[in-house]
Amino acid sequence: MNTEDRRVRKTEKALQNALSELMLHKDLRHITVQELADAADIHRVTFYSHYHDVYDLYEQIVKRVLAELGEIVKEDPAHLYSNTYEAIINYLYNNQTLFYMLLCNDIDNTFISRVCNLLEKKYLDIWLFEDNLSVVSDEMRLLTSYHIHGCIALLTMWARNDFSASKQEITQLLRRTDLNFERMLSNHLD
């Protein structure tokens, strides 16, 4: 592994952490590059060698998180939803400040909307594969949207409550939600 790559990753992580911490107290639009550089203990020039502005940093973080979530939820014939829920919950729990920033300070709901769109697409692809279907009905799309938005709302509340519920409690809530959704879905397919 290249030392340069390690330094770049370290700088990116420091900037991500600094932005997450600053957004606990301020809106993104009120954070300056200088303030971010100071919080990350880097020079402004270093910041600009990686990003155009604070919004670019935020967007790159969002893209990375969406890619990582997409990897957690991927089409797989042996797909177990309980394993997926545990992986997502562990990911959120291990990155609490980041997800507090993304879920709770998402003023215009763009991050939540993008996560929901990603997860809806992934799950519809999985269900098409699992049920050997070629077309998704409008009702199935609505049910999927309802289910995904509900799960994200639950995870957002968990973040807003400083992740005070245990990972096991949240996993159980998601599993119960999923069981009810599976019943609704099976009624739809029958």
Side-chain angles (χ1 to χ4, degrees), residues 52-173:
H52 300 295
D53 56 25
V54 176
Y55 294 100
D56 184 34
L57 167 61
Y58 182 82
E59 181 59 24
Q60 295 310 312
I61 291 169
V62 167
K63 285 180 179 178
R64 183 181 48 75
V65 167
L66 290 173
E68 290 171 358
L69 284 171
E71 281 300 307
I72 292 172
V73 184
K74 58 185 168 188
E75 192 171 338
D76 178 3
H79 181 80
L80 295 173
Y81 296 110
S82 58
N83 291 349
T84 302
Y85 290 146
E86 286 177 23
I88 289 172
I89 288 167
N90 283 330
Y91 182 56
L92 267 70
Y93 190 81
N94 293 334
N95 297 283
Q96 289 181 24
T97 306
L98 171 65
F99 278 100
Y100 187 89
M101 172 186 81
L102 294 171
L103 292 171
C104 302
N105 290 338
D106 189 22
I107 296 169
D108 57 1
N109 286 325
T110 55
F111 176 73
I112 290 173
S113 177
R114 288 168 75 178
V115 167
C116 288
N117 289 338
L118 168 81
L119 295 178
E120 286 173 34
K121 168 130 182 42
K122 291 276 186 186
Y123 274 107
L124 286 171
D125 289 346
I126 290 167
W127 289 322
L128 286 172
F129 175 80
E130 286 177 345
D131 296 335
N132 198 24
L133 299 171
S134 58
V135 177
V136 176
S137 70
D138 289 340
E139 185 178 1
M140 192 172 185
R141 274 186 207 290
L142 290 170
L143 290 172
T144 301
S145 180
Y146 173 79
H147 179 59
I148 296 297
H149 280 82
C151 290
I152 296 300
L154 190 149
L155 294 172
T156 300
M157 288 305 297
W158 187 39
R160 280 200 174 115
N161 291 322
D162 295 323
F163 298 90
S164 60
S166 72
K167 292 189 295 185
Q168 294 77 15
E169 290 171 313
I170 297 301
T171 302
Q172 282 304 108
L173 281 172

